[in-house]
């Protein structure tokens, strides 16, 4: 193992450092009730495509707080109905990407829905106002407001709401839905599978948003996690609120959602990852109680992992 991390045998039993709020379960029960009470006002707008076997749509729905959320939706023209579906989630600050990279799954007989996260690089709104700073990123958005205002509460709920919507489509078999994504998308895969237990298979790749305190203690709150360092330096320079801050971040820590997952899980992890340290990923993985498997890349970090697209395609092909 690299010197920045604990030995692999310790990783395999590591249970995380970030505190879990005492009312964590009630928090997410209340959040899910709000999501279910929200009228999604689903809109499907056909989008022309030259892929002869696919139909493409711009999908919009209303999420918690009133934001209109966007996803690309593709479905096969001739596959049997109902058929499986796959949800795709993108990396931090990005978007749902190109239409064409979803087509292999459509050709396999899947419907595919790819979410744009609120206020990031795609077409989803984020109209919810919050008190407190928002400098440098989304993890800290709402951190000085009520816990219900945390940015990732809304995004985690968007993943579950998208799953509900896709599962309701007549062409989709609600018992054969998977989810996948890398980095932030890996975190959203975990959150989606936790908040929508009907997800059948989940494949997170080096998931973000896990075990924030561990990241801080490793002095790796840089890059994607830099906003935590910025927040503490500017708004709690003497760490007088450290316990409060990390406990509040615990509401949106995927390691605490992981025990709710019922899906079969395949996680891909690079052991040289200094962006989302392996221990933070293991903190979530070790709490998953459903069937699971982790594929390790000892010499790779937060980067393209060889054969990963093929591995994921084979994992989902028999949904």
């Amino acid at each position: 193992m690299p010197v920045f991390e604990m030995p692999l045998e310790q990783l395999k039993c590591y249970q995380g450092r970030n505190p879990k709020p005492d009312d964590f379960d009630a928090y997410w029960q209340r959040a899910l009730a709000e999501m279910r009470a929200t009228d999604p006002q689903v809109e499907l707008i056909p989008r022309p495509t030259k892929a002869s076997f696919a139909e493409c749509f711009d999908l919009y729905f209303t999420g918690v707080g009133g934001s209109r959320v966007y996803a690309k939706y593709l479905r096969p023209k001739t596959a049997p109905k109902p058929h499986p579906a796959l949800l795709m989630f993108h990396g931090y600050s990005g978007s749902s990407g190109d239409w064409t990279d979803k087509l292999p799954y459509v050709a396999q007989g899947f419907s595919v829905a790819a979410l744009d996260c609120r206020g990031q690089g795609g077409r989803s709104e984020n109209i919810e106002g919050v008190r407190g700073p928002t400098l440098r990123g989304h993890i800290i958005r709402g951190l000085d407001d009520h816990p219900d205002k945390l940015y990732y509460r809304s995004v985690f709920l968007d993943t579950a709401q998208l799953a509900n919507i896709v599962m309701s489509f007549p062409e989709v078999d609600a018992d054969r839905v998977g989810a996948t994504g890398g980095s932030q998308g890996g975190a959203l895969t975990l959150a989606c599978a936790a908040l929508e237990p009907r997800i059948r298979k989940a494949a997170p790749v080096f998931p973000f948003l896990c075990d924030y305190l561990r990241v801080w203690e490793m002095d790796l709150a840089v890059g994607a996690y830099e906003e935590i360092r910025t927040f503490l330096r500017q708004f709690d320079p003497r760490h007088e609120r450290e316990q409060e801050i990390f406990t509040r971040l615990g509401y949106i820590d995927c390691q605490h959602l992981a025990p709710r997952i019922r899906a079969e899980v395949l996680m891909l992890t690079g052991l040289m990852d200094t962006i989302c340290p392996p221990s933070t990923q293991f903190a979530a993985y070790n709490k998953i109680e459903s069937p699971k498997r982790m594929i390790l890349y000892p010499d790779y970090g937060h980067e393209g992992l060889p054969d990963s697209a093929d591995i994921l395609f084979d994992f989902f092909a028999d949904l």
Side-chain angles (χ1 to χ4, degrees):
M1 285 297 300
V3 294
F4 75 90
E5 259 298 4
M6 61 183 71
L8 183 57
E9 289 309 308
Q10 291 183 28
L11 290 174
K12 290 179 178 179
C13 58
Y14 175 67
Q15 292 297 309
R17 291 279 295 128
N18 203 91
K20 178 181 178 181
D22 292 338
D23 64 341
F24 181 86
D25 291 331
Y27 175 89
W28 282 108
Q29 183 177 353
R30 184 174 70 250
L32 287 167
E34 180 183 351
M35 182 198 77
R36 294 181 185 119
T38 299
D39 180 359
Q41 303 176 62
V42 176
E43 185 178 13
L44 277 176
I45 303 172
R47 185 180 183 93
T49 177
K50 292 188 176 181
S52 60
F53 55 88
E55 296 177 327
C56 297
F57 301 87
D58 294 317
L59 188 161
Y60 291 90
F61 66 91
T62 299
V64 295
S67 292
R68 289 295 279 174
V69 179
Y70 173 80
K72 291 179 172 69
Y73 182 65
L74 305 85
R75 67 188 181 198
K77 285 184 177 178
T78 60
K81 299 178 182 180
H83 53 246
L86 183 64
L87 310 176
M88 292 182 169
F89 303 114
H90 63 77
Y92 198 31
S93 79
S95 72
S96 51
D98 294 341
W99 294 87
T100 52
D101 61 20
K102 287 79 174 161
L103 291 176
Y105 285 98
V106 180
Q108 185 71 9
F110 282 64
S111 286
V112 176
L115 183 75
D116 276 355
C117 290
R118 301 174 179 221
Q120 296 191 23
R123 297 166 63 178
S124 294
E125 295 179 335
N126 185 26
I127 65 172
E128 295 178 88
V130 297
R131 292 194 300 271
T134 59
L135 181 63
R136 293 287 175 87
H138 297 289
I139 298 171
I140 65 164
R141 187 176 177 87
L143 194 53
D144 269 344
D145 205 327
H146 190 279
D148 287 359
K149 290 290 190 176
L150 287 165
Y151 168 83
Y152 275 108
R153 175 186 184 269
S154 297
V155 177
F156 287 3
L157 291 173
D158 289 341
T159 70
Q161 193 168 12
L162 179 63
N164 290 174
I165 290 166
V166 170
M167 289 173 174
S168 74
F169 289 160
E171 66 267 23
V172 170
D173 184 344
D175 293 325
R176 292 192 292 156
V177 177
T180 191
S183 195
Q184 175 184 250
L188 299 187
T189 297
L190 293 172
C192 182
L195 298 175
E196 178 38 83
R198 292 179 293 169
I199 294 293
R200 181 82 168 272
K201 287 191 171 189
V205 179
F206 37 62
F208 185 41
L209 306 178
C210 300
D211 205 7
Y212 303 103
L213 182 57
R214 170 69 176 166
V215 175
W216 174 258
E217 290 176 339
M218 294 178 75
D219 196 27
L220 290 176
V222 295
Y225 282 112
E226 180 185 1
E227 60 207 81
I228 297 175
R229 177 187 301 276
T230 301
F231 185 91
L232 289 167
R233 282 175 58 86
Q234 294 199 355
F235 305 108
D236 188 27
R238 291 173 296 282
H239 282 222
E240 296 163 336
R241 299 169 52 209
E242 179 179 314
Q243 181 70 21
E244 171 201 340
I245 289 166
F246 283 104
T247 300
R248 183 161 292 195
L249 287 172
Y251 287 115
I252 53 169
D253 188 334
C254 288
Q255 67 167 319
H256 300 320
L257 284 168
R260 303 169 64 111
I261 294 172
R262 296 294 171 261
E264 178 186 354
V265 175
L266 175 65
M267 186 180 291
L268 276 59
T269 296
L271 293 180
M272 294 292 290
D273 193 338
T274 57
I275 303 299
C276 297
S279 53
T280 68
Q281 300 177 49
F282 272 93
Y285 181 81
N286 291 339
K287 292 182 176 67
I288 296 170
E289 300 171 359
S290 56
K292 62 185 178 180
R293 181 165 63 102
M294 179 183 277
I295 296 177
L296 298 176
Y297 289 78
D299 301 317
Y300 281 79
H302 208 75
E303 58 187 310
L305 302 177
D307 306 319
S308 58
D310 294 338
I311 290 168
L312 297 182
F313 190 86
D314 289 348
F315 176 65
F316 289 116
D318 60 355
L319 258 175

